[in-house]
Amino acid sequence: MIIALDGPSGVGKSTLARALASRLQFSCLDTGALYRCVALSVLLAGVDEANEIDVSKLAQTATIRFAPQNKVFLNGADVTDDIRGARVERIVSVVAAYPRVRAALLEKQREIGSLGNYVVEGRDIGSTVFPNAECKFFLTASLEARTRRRLLQNQEKQRGSVDEQEVRNMLAKRDATDATREASPLVCPSDAVRIDTSDKTFEEVLTLILNHVYEAC
Ligand code: C5P
């Protein structure tokens, strides 16, 4: 069974996906981490992110592996923290817009999802990666709410920017790129349950999703 959790940056998908997976005893797949790994490969290889062909080659050859405790390995190295850095954030949406990058990662996502029950979070899970997912959710929140949450997260984890304006601009820019690209843009699938989380607590959203999963899916 697949539960698809899509939505823009900073909406709280990752935390919710992990909590949901733990409550349902599902595994959890953070598809953004795959795109972040490609962005990090680009930086490490010194490739120009505007060069679609070179970036796509890196995506096709990268070995990305997930390990317990949400660890992510790229070509054998632990990149769990590195993929969350500001340099990766700046280019990730650019590389994620390339159709060949998406094609390379699509296979990987389907392969992982076929291994069992998964909560899969991303931007195009319900629309493209798992269009037949048993349950689909699309989370939204105002830019202000998402900026506040991301700032708090960066402060707590001591990574990424803690400058409010910079965080707001980065989220807005990434969302615009993700929503307007031609290949698998960020969209709410017509059969997804749409939840605006701006004025809801984490527990409220989790309960709402769980109730839908138990009743509707
Ligand atoms: O979810 P996260 O913020 O880690 O995603 C990083 C970026 O990866 C997104 O801004 C988006 O450009 C890309 N992404 C995507 N499709 C997905 C997941 C992430 O294009 N399914």
Side-chain angles (χ1 to χ4, degrees):
M1 177 171 173
I2 298 284
I3 299 177
L5 213 56
D6 288 305
S9 318
V11 80
K13 293 186 303 290
S14 298
T15 325
L16 277 162
R18 281 187 206 138
L20 193 59
S22 145
R23 290 283 278 271
L24 298 170
Q25 300 200 318
F26 276 32
S27 300
C28 193
L29 173 59
D30 167 10
T31 61
L34 297 171
Y35 291 94
R36 285 171 180 269
C37 280
V38 175
L40 183 62
S41 299
V42 168
L43 293 171
L44 293 175
V47 160
D48 179 0
E49 72 267 18
N51 185 331
E52 180 172 355
I53 302 216
D54 284 355
V55 172
S56 303
K57 275 190 201 143
L58 284 173
Q60 283 153 4
T61 53
T63 308
I64 304 166
R65 190 168 59 80
F66 292 96
Q69 289 162 343
N70 306 314
K71 294 248 180 245
V72 185
F73 287 80
L74 169 65
N75 301 326
D78 183 350
V79 294
T80 312
D81 288 331
D82 296 352
I83 58 168
R84 305 287 158 194
R87 289 194 324 144
V88 166
E89 296 245 307
R90 257 192 293 277
I91 66 161
V92 65
S93 291
V94 176
V95 306
Y98 296 144
R100 269 178 287 187
V101 169
R102 303 201 71 81
L105 298 184
L106 181 65
E107 272 177 45
K108 176 116 193 118
Q109 293 166 75
R110 289 192 176 150
E111 199 182 292
I112 298 174
S114 70
L115 298 174
N117 293 325
Y118 268 87
V119 177
V120 187
E121 56 130 331
R123 304 290 188 290
D124 60 341
I125 307 308
S127 59
T128 305
V129 184
F130 293 109
N132 297 323
E134 284 80 355
C135 294
K136 298 183 186 180
F137 297 94
F138 190 86
L139 304 179
T140 63
S142 66
L143 181 59
E144 283 318 305
R146 292 186 291 119
T147 303
R148 272 197 311 276
R149 288 177 194 161
R150 183 48 61 89
L151 261 179
L152 209 66
Q153 197 179 52
N154 288 355
Q155 279 159 358
E156 275 170 13
K157 302 205 163 151
Q158 297 188 331
R159 71 180 177 213
S161 173
V162 287
D163 180 273
E164 188 173 336
Q165 192 59 37
E166 194 182 339
V167 170
R168 184 183 295 108
N169 290 344
M170 187 78 83
L171 289 177
K173 194 165 169 217
R174 266 209 290 147
D175 292 345
T177 312
D178 291 344
T180 55
R181 70 183 174 220
E182 279 193 21
S184 298
L186 167 72
V187 280
C188 176
S190 57
D191 53 350
V193 176
R194 192 185 178 102
I195 303 173
D196 185 341
T197 70
S198 308
D199 301 317
K200 292 186 176 59
T201 64
F202 172 80
E203 278 304 327
E204 284 171 335
V205 181
L206 181 62
T207 306
L208 211 61
I209 293 180
L210 277 168
N211 286 344
H212 273 288
V213 172
Y214 292 139
E215 286 166 20
C217 301

